[in-house]
Amino acid sequence: MTASPLLSRHGAVDDSGADAGVAHHYGDPVAEQRALAAGRAVADQSHLGIVTVTGPDRLTWLDSLTTQALGTLAPGFSSETMILSPQGRIEHVAGVVDDGETTWLITETAPALATFLERMKFMLRVEVTDATNEYAAIGEAVRAPAAAGEPPTWVDPWPGVAAGGTTYAADPDAPHPGADRAWRLVLVPRETLEAEIDERLDAGWSLVGTWATEAARIAAHRPRASHEVDETTLPHELDWLRTAVHLHKGCYRGQETVAKVHNVGRPPRRFTMLHLDGSGHSLPELGAPVMNGETTVGRITSVARHHEDGPIALAMLKRSVDPSLELMVPSDGGPLAASQELIVNADGFSSDRPDRPGPTMRGLMMGKGCAADGGDMS
């Protein structure tokens, strides 16, 4: 992707890594975070990828390939889904919204996702397009879906537990830190991006960068594919069965692993919030090790300086790490003390895990492989 035209705006500082091409901030990160929290901010999210699927078979076809039940997704309703490897590891994540004619997939792996879907078309009546060069996403601190006549709009379902989902939260009955975070992505023609932004600025909103949006995401315990997912990540480790996995739908690639870990296993790692020592000005690098003494027990996946909470991070830790331990994270300014705030519970059990092994969930056939996993369905 080429750099966003919004980078020419006053004060804009380009981001890097997965967010390269859009602004990290526009000169006042604290004010931008406050505007976002107040629901009067707009964010350039034009670096995200957009894949469209059209054709009468699109929803049932996507339902058969992905972790979410999409076969009856109603126009205007938002969902989230994944494509897994045969071993149940996360390969692609996408926000999903359908407008009655087109299913819009918002993802950070658009070229690879479009290529995968193209290979899986067979004789079905579907057309797949990487539309990233034609459409751009605008982020808003709004929870409402698109009104009649408005562009396709994906409303983030996090942290709700969707039908067929479950949670690995430490206390599933406690209020979730992300409950007050409203977030949606409005999809507009790329050539109208600046005009759409200016319309919102004329209404009194503030233009904010990824510093603000990432700080809000981290505080909400919201996982992100480009940051939290590596080649071994299971959805359970990130509490992502809340919004992106339907446990009782039909067969899909990786479904046996999802079911086995949920019913009789435990994820080997756990997603964790870290509150970092804020007495200095340093932050750890993405991927920095999380240490218990001389032992590496995890890695930093996301980090930001929050306008109220100070320096915060998300990390993937070994499940066996004692949640009460104060850990250490290296930084350019020296080691930073890190206290844990549980996201995924330490015992590795979901809120509705069976008490003991018994009949498996609908759609899982013990002793016979799932066709989507390359097994024998006969």
Side-chain angles (χ1 to χ4, degrees):
M1 291 298 301
T2 58
S4 168
L6 276 300
L7 282 174
S8 65
R9 299 296 174 98
H10 177 73
V13 175
D14 195 359
D15 209 331
S16 59
D19 292 326
V22 297
H24 186 43
H25 62 83
Y26 293 91
D28 194 342
V30 172
E32 291 172 30
Q33 289 190 51
R34 289 173 176 162
L36 186 68
R40 51 177 181 83
V42 59
D44 178 8
Q45 297 282 283
S46 61
H47 59 310
L48 298 178
I50 299 172
V51 174
T52 61
V53 184
T54 57
D57 297 331
R58 66 188 184 281
L59 289 175
T60 54
W61 176 64
L62 289 170
D63 182 277
S64 72
L65 295 173
T66 73
T67 57
Q68 189 55 271
L70 301 175
T72 58
L73 184 67
F77 283 79
S78 298
S79 187
E80 187 174 32
T81 197
M82 296 176 174
I83 289 176
L84 306 180
S85 73
Q87 294 75 37
R89 315 300 183 183
I90 299 173
E91 291 187 345
H92 303 284
V93 181
V96 185
V97 64
D98 192 89
D99 63 11
E101 296 181 353
T102 300
T103 303
W104 302 80
L105 306 176
I106 307 168
T107 180
E108 298 188 274
T109 57
L113 176 58
T115 298
F116 172 83
L117 293 175
E118 189 68 30
R119 292 203 312 265
M120 302 301 292
K121 285 170 54 174
F122 303 116
M123 299 299 291
L124 294 174
R125 298 169 296 171
V126 293
E127 294 295 332
V128 178
T129 303
D130 183 349
T132 306
N133 288 330
E134 287 73 48
Y135 288 89
I138 294 173
E140 299 177 338
V142 176
R143 191 169 277 115
E150 291 184 341
T153 299
W154 177 74
V155 181
D156 191 352
W158 187 268
V161 179
T166 190
T167 178
Y168 280 76
D171 183 355
D173 297 321
H176 194 282
D180 294 331
R181 172 183 171 266
W183 184 245
R184 72 178 189 176
L185 296 172
V186 182
L187 308 182
V188 301
R190 192 166 284 273
E191 63 268 19
T192 70
L193 174 63
E194 286 196 276
E196 293 281 354
I197 293 284
D198 287 337
E199 181 179 327
R200 290 156 174 81
L201 299 183
D202 290 343
W205 288 21
S206 298
L207 182 58
V208 306
T210 56
W211 183 333
T213 59
E214 283 294 279
R217 177 184 70 83
I218 293 168
H221 299 176
R222 212 300 183 213
R224 180 179 171 186
S226 62
H227 286 55
E228 275 69 56
V229 173
D230 61 25
E231 65 277 2
T232 66
T233 305
L234 297 167
H236 318 64
E237 295 176 323
L238 295 166
D239 200 21
W240 228 333
L241 273 70
R242 284 179 172 272
T243 56
V245 178
H246 195 293
L247 287 168
H248 309 298
K249 58 167 281 185
C251 191
Y252 56 88
R253 191 171 74 163
Q255 186 256 1
E256 288 197 56
T257 298
V258 169
K260 288 176 181 177
V261 173
H262 173 251
N263 283 337
V264 297
R266 290 192 284 181
R269 300 178 297 182
R270 59 179 175 85
F271 197 34
T272 307
M273 174 91 156
L274 296 178
H275 293 271
L276 304 173
D277 177 6
S279 59
H281 299 286
S282 297
L283 290 176
E285 297 289 334
L286 296 184
V290 180
M291 310 295 295
N292 177 24
E294 299 298 317
T295 303
T296 299
V297 295
R299 65 180 179 89
I300 297 293
T301 58
S302 296
V303 64
R305 193 174 297 277
H306 192 275
H307 71 291
E308 292 181 340
D309 297 336
I312 55 176
L314 299 174
M316 287 288 275
L317 303 181
K318 295 178 181 179
R319 182 176 48 79
S320 59
V321 175
D322 184 342
S324 67
L325 287 177
E326 183 175 272
L327 305 173
M328 300 296 291
V329 182
S331 75
D332 288 343
L336 301 174
S339 61
Q340 301 178 59
E341 178 181 333
L342 283 175
I343 298 177
V344 168
N345 62 59
D347 64 17
F349 299 153
S350 73
S351 62
D352 61 351
R353 176 190 171 99
D355 291 335
R356 58 184 180 276
T360 57
M361 69 182 65
R362 186 165 68 250
L364 175 64
M365 297 181 294
M366 298 298 288
K368 294 186 179 181
C370 173
D373 290 334
D376 181 8
M377 290 289 289
S378 61

